[in-house]
């Protein structure tokens, strides 16, 4: 067998014949590690296929099993598909093992056979965690093992419906000589689990740790190999976690579920809007509630702004948390140009309360109102909510799903909404007839209706 070695970037998977201090592909330093590329024999476990006419292709009946966590099913596209491989990525300590233990526990309670393989924790440690999560005597098997070939052998013998591998970075294949966690190992592990998954028609979950902010390191290079990619994110200092789909071959993406970590594991939050608003201060200037859409669901969140005179004349601060920095800078420029405010001597901080990240332009108007409310030191009525995209000339542009947003606000007791005029004419107001709706065409109009 011929084997040659090459240097692989552990951040992005870039392959170089010689060592480099800095990866030319992703720009990270000291990420290239020498890995021996063994010529893995092309072992095709699928039968050779012939070309086929479109009309002769049979529609695949996807058998799905629902997880015991109601909020998780939409993220998976309506439950897990048998014979699919799901990758769950997230920072260490975010709750990936906890989530999958709970999922396995619930499957086992439904009578399905589940196998949970841990390369990270001993059986004793799993026992302790299981006690907290209330694991019972269901059909749930555990295996503490790091050798992939042995794991697959056990799995094939046991033939479970659900297979969890925790984590992809701690397991290694003896076919390769590089250490566990390297890119080539991670790929090989995913490959073998993929083949096992398809051959045995099990639902498999791979857990992958994110090593750096924003990059799935090794696991990033697997996204194309697996059927579903889920990310588990959250601030360490907040109790809530957001699970969202990044890729799903069997359903829509951008659905999300919000969980709270408690003493008995993760609990899905069934009313996220109420959760994110529960600590909102009443009658404080600089705070406004916006209706945003996350996945297919509406979500109400509080946007906070603080404007205070700067110590850094000539270079005042612009800080945003949970919002796009450049978008907020643009909105501040619009406020200066169109409304005559000046932030030249001011630091401006804009924050999404609760640690969520929002990328939707429908929050634009909310950001502007929060900032102006702070400057004028005038609070927004607590039962008012806003949404609308703002264009460069200060015009308010329509956004998608206005009624969905308004209904969510209505169900939480909001009485007034400021929204794009263009949206106002395009839906029936029956369900929310007691809400006062203010349609606006530009920021000037929006602010004069408030202040
Ligand atoms: P874990 O699931 O091990 O995270 P990951 O597998 O993503 O690395 O657990 C995350 C944290 O949650 C850990 O610090 C302990 C805590 N935790 C609870 O607060 N309550 C619980 O019931 C459990 C099981 C864990
Ligand atoms: Mg873990």
């Amino acid at each position: 067998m011929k084997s040659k070695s090459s240097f692989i970037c552990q951040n992005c998977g870039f392959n170089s014949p010689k060592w480099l201090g800095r990866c030319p592909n992703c720009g990270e330093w000291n990420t290239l590690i020498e890995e021996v590329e063994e010529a893995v024999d092309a072992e095709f476990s699928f039968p050779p296929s012939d070309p086929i006419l479109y009309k002769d292709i049979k529609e695949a009946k996807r058998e799905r099993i629902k997880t015991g966590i109601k909020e998780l099913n939409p993220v998976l596209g309506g439950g897990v598909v048998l014979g699919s491989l799901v990758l769950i990525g997230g920072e260490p300590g975010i709750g990936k093992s906890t989530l999958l233990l709970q999922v396995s526990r619930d499957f086992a309670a439904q009578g399905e056979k589940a196998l949970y393989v841990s390369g990270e924790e001993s059986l004793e440690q799993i026992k302790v965690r299981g006690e907290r999560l209330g694991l019972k005597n269901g059909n749930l098997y555990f295996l503490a093992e790091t050798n992939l070939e042995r794991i697959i052998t056990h799995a094939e013998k046991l033939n479970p419906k659900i297979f969890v591998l925790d984590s992809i970075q701690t397991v290694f294949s003896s076919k390769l000589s590089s250490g566990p966690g390297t890119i080539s190992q991670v790929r090989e592990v995913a490959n073998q689990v993929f083949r096992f998954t398809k051959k045995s028609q099990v639902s498999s979950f791979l857990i992958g740790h994110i090593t750096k902010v924003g990059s799935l390191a090794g696991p990033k290079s697997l996204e194309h190999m697996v059927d579903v990619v889920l990310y588990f994110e959250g601030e360490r200092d907040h109790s809530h976690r957001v699970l969202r789909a990044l890729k799903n071959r069997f359903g829509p993406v951008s659905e999300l579920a919000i969980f709270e970590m408690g003493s008995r594991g993760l609990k899905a939050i069934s009313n996220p809007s109420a959760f994110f608003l529960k600590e909102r201060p009443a009658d404080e200037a600089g705070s406004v509630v916006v209706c945003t859409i996350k996945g297919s669901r509406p979500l109400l969140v509080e946007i906070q702004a603080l404007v205070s005179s700067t110590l850094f004349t000539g270079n005042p601060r612009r800080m945003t948390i949970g919002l796009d920095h450049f978008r907020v800078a643009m909105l501040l420029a619009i406020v200066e140009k169109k409304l005559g405010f000046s932030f030249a001597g001011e630091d401006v901080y804009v924050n999404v309360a609760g640690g969520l990240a929002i990328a939707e332009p429908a929050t634009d108007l909310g950001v502007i109102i929060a900032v102006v409310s702070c400057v004028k030191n005038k609070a927004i009525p607590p039962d008012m909510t806003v949404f609308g995209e703002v264009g460069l000339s200060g015009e308010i542009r329509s956004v998608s799903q206005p009624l969905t947003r308004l209904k969510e606000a209505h169900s939480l007791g909001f009485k007034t909404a400021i929204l794009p005029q263009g949206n106002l004419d395009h839906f029936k107001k029956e369900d929310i007839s007691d809400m006062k709706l203010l349609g606006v065409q530009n920021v000037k109009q929006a602010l004069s209706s408030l202040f």
Side-chain angles (χ1 to χ4, degrees):
M1 196 155 97
K2 211 172 57 189
S3 66
K4 67 178 181 45
S5 94
S6 60
F7 294 84
I8 299 181
C9 171
Q10 301 298 307
N11 186 49
C12 70
F14 178 79
N15 197 321
S16 160
K18 61 180 201 308
W19 187 83
L20 298 165
R22 183 175 194 226
C23 172
N25 187 44
C26 66
E28 289 292 325
W29 289 92
N30 284 327
T31 51
L32 268 71
I33 287 183
E34 181 170 18
E35 295 188 23
V36 184
E37 267 183 71
E38 278 96 341
V40 180
D41 38 64
E43 171 206 314
F44 287 107
S45 45
F46 300 108
S49 50
D50 292 320
I52 184 169
L53 278 174
Y54 176 75
K55 73 170 173 55
D56 295 335
I57 304 174
K58 285 192 204 64
E59 240 180 276
K61 278 235 168 52
R62 294 240 158 68
E63 206 187 324
R64 285 182 191 269
I65 12 185
K66 293 251 193 280
T67 69
I69 305 169
K70 193 173 89 234
E71 289 78 1
L72 177 62
N73 294 325
V75 183
L76 289 162
V80 277
V81 174
L82 282 181
S84 73
L85 181 57
V86 181
L87 172 69
I88 296 199
E91 281 180 36
I94 200 85
K96 301 179 295 296
S97 305
T98 307
L99 180 74
L100 285 176
L101 261 181
Q102 288 179 231
V103 167
S104 317
R105 171 197 69 192
D106 296 344
F107 276 132
Q110 285 176 35
E112 310 280 12
K113 197 190 281 178
L115 172 61
Y116 192 106
V117 181
S118 183
E120 305 213 324
E121 285 157 1
S122 65
L123 293 175
E124 291 73 26
Q125 284 167 315
I126 292 175
K127 185 93 186 166
V128 175
R129 196 194 292 250
E131 292 297 315
R132 293 176 77 172
L133 300 176
L135 253 63
K136 302 236 179 51
N137 307 326
N139 220 353
L140 175 54
Y141 290 81
F142 286 95
L143 176 65
E145 174 66 79
T146 51
N147 182 300
L148 179 68
E149 281 76 20
R150 275 187 235 154
I151 292 172
I152 299 283
T153 308
H154 280 300
E156 283 176 339
K157 210 160 68 197
L158 192 68
N159 194 22
K161 268 269 172 67
I162 308 293
F163 173 77
V164 179
L165 188 62
D166 184 3
S167 67
I168 191 155
Q169 278 108 337
T170 48
V171 170
F172 68 95
S173 161
S174 35
K175 282 190 193 160
L176 307 180
S177 53
S178 44
T182 51
I183 296 261
S184 36
Q185 277 288 359
V186 161
R187 282 190 186 146
E188 177 61 22
V189 174
N191 231 318
Q192 288 201 36
V193 173
F194 184 81
R195 273 186 242 152
F196 161 70
T197 301
K198 300 293 164 187
K199 207 166 88 194
S200 311
Q201 286 295 299
V202 296
S203 297
S204 298
F205 292 89
L206 287 175
I207 291 179
H209 291 296
I210 296 182
T211 49
K212 273 201 204 92
V213 183
S215 79
L216 242 191
K220 187 103 196 153
S221 66
L222 313 174
E223 282 180 0
H224 66 283
M225 295 166 64
V226 301
D227 297 310
V228 181
V229 180
L230 303 181
Y231 275 66
F232 213 2
E233 339 171 277
E235 299 287 321
R236 222 166 252 260
D237 315 326
H238 289 96
S239 64
H240 74 269
R241 314 266 182 262
V242 180
L243 182 74
R244 61 191 178 93
L246 216 81
K247 158 183 175 177
N248 193 344
R249 286 195 181 137
F250 313 113
V253 288
S254 79
E255 288 292 337
L256 56 82
I258 299 172
F259 294 91
E260 196 173 15
M261 182 64 94
S263 59
R264 302 191 60 81
L266 290 158
K267 205 167 146 282
I269 295 166
S270 51
N271 191 345
S273 295
F275 177 81
F276 285 109
L277 292 182
K278 70 175 186 249
E279 285 166 84
R280 181 167 57 118
D283 290 324
E284 275 294 332
S287 152
V288 69
V289 174
V290 296
C291 302
T292 176
I293 301 271
K294 276 264 186 190
S296 63
R297 284 203 306 197
L299 183 65
L300 297 188
V301 285
E302 179 194 352
I303 291 192
Q304 305 173 325
L306 184 66
V307 180
S308 68
S309 40
T310 184
L311 292 173
F312 310 95
T313 17
N315 194 11
R317 274 182 202 215
R318 304 284 179 255
M319 296 279 280
T320 61
I321 302 173
L323 291 161
D324 180 55
H325 187 82
F326 296 105
R327 186 119 201 138
V328 172
M330 182 192 89
L331 295 170
L332 290 178
I334 294 171
V335 175
E336 292 194 316
K337 184 84 185 167
K338 298 289 164 191
L339 304 165
F341 289 87
S342 169
F343 300 115
E346 314 283 342
D347 289 333
V348 182
Y349 303 87
V350 186
N351 175 37
V352 180
L356 272 185
I358 301 178
E360 215 204 5
T363 54
D364 289 353
L365 185 56
V367 171
I368 289 184
I369 290 178
V371 168
V372 175
S373 154
C374 178
V375 173
K376 291 195 176 263
N377 200 20
K378 274 190 78 177
I380 308 297
D383 58 357
M384 172 183 274
T385 178
V386 304
F387 60 88
E389 179 179 343
V390 177
L392 278 183
S393 47
E395 82 277 16
I396 312 272
R397 315 175 73 103
S398 326
V399 299
S400 64
Q401 310 184 52
L403 190 59
T404 315
R405 297 173 202 261
L406 290 168
K407 277 185 180 164
E408 177 80 357
H410 183 257
S411 71
L412 282 153
F414 283 81
K415 300 272 190 300
T416 322
I418 299 184
L419 67 158
Q421 181 68 41
N423 274 134
L424 196 56
D425 312 322
H426 291 99
F427 57 86
K428 294 202 188 76
K429 297 156 195 82
E430 288 153 8
D431 299 335
I432 49 164
S433 55
D434 55 335
M435 245 182 129
K436 192 169 155 211
L437 306 180
L438 298 169
V440 288
Q441 275 165 324
N442 53 56
V443 281
K444 215 173 208 152
Q445 205 187 348
L447 292 169
S448 62
S449 69
L450 274 168
F451 306 108

